[in-house]
Amino acid sequence: MKKVEFSPSLMTMDLDKFKEQISFLNEHADSYHVDIMDGHYVPNITLSPWFIQEIRKISALPISAHLMVTNPAFWVQQLIDIQCEWICMHVEVLDGLAFRLIDQIHDAGLKAGVVLNPETPIDVIFPYIDLVDKVTIMTVDPGFAGQRFIEGALDKIVALRELREQNGYQYIVEMDGSSNRKSFKRIDEANPDIYIIGRSGLFGLDEDIEKAWNTMVSDYEETTGKVLA
């Protein structure tokens, strides 16, 4: 059985306990997910490249930046400058930019990802699907934590895995949105490579990050019948 990877969404962490929570997660998580919102693409403003630099001071885990912005080109270069391992862009704002930005990220020795909203079909990325390193499927509408889980979006994860197997593509498949006890079993059936976990699946389970993590693990194991290594 392949290893299940968990990537905490740091937008939902307790910033009053930043060092404490990161220090614990460094030993348990597989990577970090950092949402960068500009207040235009979504009506919210959250983290930034500066925040990623702060994480770098106390963590060596890979970081994936999720750009929920109207002008990805503005942010891509900033993330290249700080060598963020994964730079993931919403396909809904990539028209006329996709090849240029993917090449720019790859030329810097970094990995390029694309993100699809729940209503966006996967055929939008077919022109450059062979170039991307990661495809993230949103299972909630973007912009805020704690939104309704959109189960139908999981079908795109299944389709992407099938396309990868049939065509030898190299991308990994990630899911983002309401990954928690209520949804773990259905997500597990779709079988993404990476689960992004936020408030409902991790940080909101307990004020103590170790207890919250252990509860998350128990929730996953009990609902899926699988034991995490």
Side-chain angles (χ1 to χ4, degrees), residues 72-78 80-81 87 89 97-110 112:
F74 172 80
W75 297 92
V76 163
Q77 187 56 54
Q78 293 186 57
I80 286 173
D81 290 343
I87 303 174
M89 307 163 289
L97 295 171
F99 289 94
R100 186 185 321 159
L101 292 179
I102 292 170
D103 286 347
Q104 184 179 350
I105 293 167
H106 285 163
D107 288 346
L110 304 171

Side-chain angles (χ1 to χ4, degrees), residues 8-23 25 47 51 55 58 197-199 202-210 212:
S9 176
L10 300 186
M11 178 181 78
T12 58
M13 72 183 299
D14 185 346
L15 292 178
D16 287 336
K17 300 178 179 178
F18 174 80
K19 188 171 183 179
E20 173 190 335
Q21 294 195 340
I22 293 295
S23 296
L25 292 171
L47 306 177
F51 184 81
I55 300 169
I58 56 174
I197 46 174
R199 182 174 301 152
L202 176 62
F203 292 107
L205 299 180
D206 198 285
E207 292 184 0
D208 183 285
I209 187 61
E210 182 174 1

Side-chain angles (χ1 to χ4, degrees), residues 9 46 62 75 91 122 142 155 161 170 175 189 191 196 206:
S9 176
T46 53
W75 297 92
V91 301
I122 62 174
D155 293 340
R161 288 194 297 101
Q170 299 301 307
M175 65 76 55
E189 292 169 352
N191 196 22
I196 296 172
D206 198 285

Side-chain angles (χ1 to χ4, degrees), residues 9 11 33-49 66-70 75 138 141-145 147 176:
S9 176
M11 178 181 78
H33 181 88
V34 174
D35 290 306
I36 296 177
M37 306 180 191
D38 63 357
H40 298 285
Y41 181 72
V42 292
N44 199 2
I45 298 174
T46 53
L47 306 177
S48 68
H66 176 187
L67 292 176
M68 285 180 261
V69 300
T70 55
W75 297 92
M138 296 295 296
D141 285 333
F144 295 92
Q147 296 197 80
D176 182 4

Side-chain angles (χ1 to χ4, degrees), residues 104-156:
Q104 184 179 350
I105 293 167
H106 285 163
D107 288 346
L110 304 171
K111 295 182 179 180
V114 289
V115 187
L116 284 74
N117 282 334
E119 68 271 27
T120 304
I122 62 174
D123 59 8
V124 172
I125 67 171
F126 283 178
Y128 46 84
I129 192 171
D130 59 321
L131 301 177
V132 297
D133 303 295
K134 179 163 68 175
V135 182
T136 302
I137 298 300
M138 296 295 296
T139 50
V140 298
D141 285 333
F144 295 92
Q147 296 197 80
R148 181 177 73 85
F149 180 68
I150 302 171
E151 185 173 332
L154 295 175
D155 293 340
K156 288 186 283 189

